[in-house]
Amino acid sequence: MADSLGYSIFLKPDDVVRAFEARGTLQPTVRWSEMMHENHAVAFTVAKITKLDLLRSVQISIDDILRNGGTFEDWKGAILPEMKKAGWWGAVANADLTGTPDTIIVNDRRLRTIYNTNVAMSMASGHWARIQRQKDVYPYLRYLPSTSEHKRPLHKTWYGILLPVDHPFWQTHFPPNGWGCKCHFEQVSERKMKRMGWTITPDSELPQNSRTFTDATGRQFAVPDGIDPGFSYNPGTAHLRAVAAKAVASLRAATDAGMDASADRTLREIIADAAFDQFLGAPHGAFPVAILDPAQQEAMQARSRVIIMPDGVYRKQRGDMQDISAGHPELTTADYRLLPDIVSRALVIAQQGDNKLIFFADEAGNIWKAVVRQDAGDELPVLVSFHRSRPRNIAAETRNLTILMDRRQ
């Protein structure tokens, strides 16, 4: 019997595979709670498997299912001989293999948990990438009932919740929300919402209660009621952080090796991807946005040529920190996608102090100002300000600064 993946039927396999591929690091664990939340987006683990060769075999076998299709029985048939050969089947009392002196039971139920969890979380991450690509046309998500015969009572109270794609609720309650949870969602257009007579769920009607969970490392997490520990995060957002971190690492390696053309091409692909839309919709972590040339790096004493925009800067930009700055909420995603060109094709570059560069550029019919700073405690130079400007402002704002480049003549 085929596995129940009904609402994933139109999901692009590439999105799922990319989410799974991001988890390239093998991480042996004894208890599932040793890896929580976004850690699962950057490393692959199976609790009670500490042998890397067996862990790699499990990873490869799941990757094959995600790429080429198949059921739990297909996966089990492929991986079970290797598990038995390694001694990871039945009653296992091998601390070198399991990481614990206790005897553990490895049976069909444990295999199904491994399979379902990895496939479901990769599917959820793939769905989130698609959701972000389509949110201009389908700006809302609606929580749909579980397909399980026995539905969780608290999850049933969430059925029908309708909220914008980037509402914080989806950062903790995007399904699946527990072991074996089969709740799902639909992406809804404004037209369908009105036709069906649906309304956006008020924040006052959203679930509020949570409890504290302590993981195997002693760290504490607030886990919303009704969600199993380890599931109270959005795997798509976590995947984005993994993508952003790997992107930064790749760009740094390319620029360090002098592969500037490759670095520039990669950066533009990243900025054009739906992952960038996702970051701007629910900022968390940092995203690469531009690349300094070697002279600029030397001038501002930057530790890398890769410029990042941290979530805190973007939240200030969009006006979330009114006590600090009114920000620039008028800027669109298309405006932020101009940043690679604003830095690489600037009209004027001025230096302020030892660690700050100011870029003025003429792009897409506007004059833009971008400020990049390298702080002593930061590993990478940071975009700290970005907004539209005017031609007459350039002279006034650079009058007492060192001009590194001026292409206006």
Side-chain angles (χ1 to χ4, degrees):
M1 179 178 178
D3 297 284
S4 179
L5 300 174
Y7 73 104
S8 297
I9 192 168
F10 297 112
L11 182 62
K12 290 172 60 179
D14 286 354
D15 290 331
V16 182
V17 171
R18 286 179 62 193
F20 192 76
E21 282 181 335
R23 301 161 65 192
T25 302
L26 294 177
Q27 179 65 52
T29 58
V30 177
R31 288 169 288 180
W32 65 268
S33 59
E34 290 177 30
M35 286 188 66
M36 291 287 288
H37 300 161
E38 65 271 11
N39 292 333
H40 279 285
V42 296
F44 176 80
T45 191
V46 174
K48 303 294 194 301
I49 296 183
T50 59
K51 292 292 187 181
L52 290 182
D53 54 351
L54 180 56
L55 195 58
R56 171 62 72 184
S57 294
V58 175
Q59 183 185 37
I60 291 172
S61 66
I62 292 177
D63 179 82
D64 182 67
I65 288 291
L66 293 175
R67 290 178 185 275
N68 303 311
T71 66
F72 166 73
E73 294 299 333
D74 295 328
W75 174 73
K76 177 184 172 183
I79 195 62
L80 189 54
E82 294 191 50
M83 289 183 170
K84 288 181 176 180
K85 182 179 180 180
W88 205 74
W89 183 252
V92 184
N94 182 342
D96 290 337
L97 182 58
T98 66
T100 175
D102 301 328
T103 298
I104 68 164
I105 302 300
V106 182
N107 52 19
D108 192 82
R109 181 178 179 181
R110 184 181 286 270
L111 292 192
R112 188 170 286 278
T113 297
I114 293 170
Y115 173 85
N116 286 344
T117 301
N118 279 283
V119 170
M121 298 311 268
S122 295
M123 288 283 187
S125 185
H127 278 301
W128 194 253
R130 184 195 64 180
I131 286 166
Q132 290 295 327
R133 283 198 301 270
Q134 298 182 160
K135 69 181 181 182
D136 288 346
V137 179
Y138 301 96
Y140 306 104
L141 292 178
R142 184 167 175 262
Y143 200 104
L144 295 184
S146 170
T147 58
S148 296
E149 181 179 354
H150 302 290
K151 297 172 173 51
R152 305 183 192 199
L154 197 51
H155 288 198
K156 290 170 69 174
T157 67
W158 306 338
Y159 297 170
I161 286 178
L162 180 70
L163 294 165
V165 163
D166 294 321
H167 192 283
F169 174 82
W170 301 117
Q171 294 305 306
T172 53
H173 289 73
F174 188 72
N177 285 310
W179 303 105
C181 173
K182 295 181 180 178
C183 294
H184 53 115
F185 67 91
E186 67 173 323
Q187 196 166 4
V188 178
S189 66
E190 189 86 32
R191 181 178 179 181
K192 181 173 182 178
M193 182 178 72
K194 292 178 179 178
R195 185 177 75 247
M196 300 299 294
W198 296 333
T199 57
I200 295 175
T201 305
D203 284 355
S204 60
E205 296 181 13
L206 297 177
Q208 306 292 333
N209 297 329
S210 64
R211 76 273 192 198
T212 300
F213 174 78
T214 303
D215 72 6
T217 69
R219 292 178 301 168
Q220 292 188 327
F221 297 86
V223 179
D225 287 353
I227 298 181
D228 292 347
F231 285 80
S232 57
Y233 76 107
N234 184 312
T237 303
H239 169 244
L240 171 66
R241 289 192 288 274
V243 169
K246 288 197 170 192
V248 169
S250 296
L251 292 173
R252 292 187 72 175
T255 54
D256 289 348
M259 300 169 60
D260 287 14
S262 177
D264 182 72
R265 182 172 61 254
T266 300
L267 173 68
R268 292 174 188 278
E269 290 175 355
I270 295 167
I271 292 289
D273 193 83
F276 191 59
D277 300 77
Q278 182 181 334
F279 173 79
L280 298 184
H284 196 104
F287 214 91
V289 292
I291 297 175
L292 298 168
D293 69 25
Q296 294 160 4
Q297 178 187 14
E298 182 178 0
M300 67 181 300
Q301 303 176 36
R303 295 185 178 135
S304 169
R305 291 171 56 194
V306 181
I307 302 169
I308 59 170
M309 179 169 63
D311 53 9
V313 170
Y314 179 65
R315 288 193 175 96
K316 183 190 73 172
Q317 283 279 124
R318 71 179 187 183
D320 292 354
M321 303 178 183
Q322 292 292 320
D323 55 329
I324 298 176
S325 169
H328 297 280
E330 74 281 359
L331 298 182
T332 66
T333 301
D335 295 334
Y336 284 97
R337 284 195 163 109
L338 296 173
L339 280 164
D341 285 336
I342 288 169
V343 169
S344 66
R345 304 197 308 210
L347 287 175
V348 174
I349 303 175
Q351 183 166 3
Q352 186 176 31
D354 294 331
N355 66 338
K356 184 187 293 184
L357 295 184
I358 302 174
F359 297 82
F360 288 93
D362 184 353
E363 295 291 335
N366 289 288
I367 297 296
W368 301 90
K369 177 183 178 182
V371 181
V372 178
R373 188 175 67 207
Q374 174 69 70
D375 288 337
D378 292 339
E379 184 68 21
L380 300 166
V382 172
L383 177 78
V384 295
S385 179
F386 172 55
H387 56 83
R388 289 184 179 85
S389 186
R390 297 177 181 178
R392 66 172 181 266
N393 291 351
I394 299 178
E397 295 181 25
T398 61
R399 184 173 294 116
N400 298 317
L401 303 181
T402 301
I403 303 300
L404 301 182
M405 187 193 69
D406 190 342
R407 292 175 174 161
R408 290 175 296 173
Q409 293 83 0

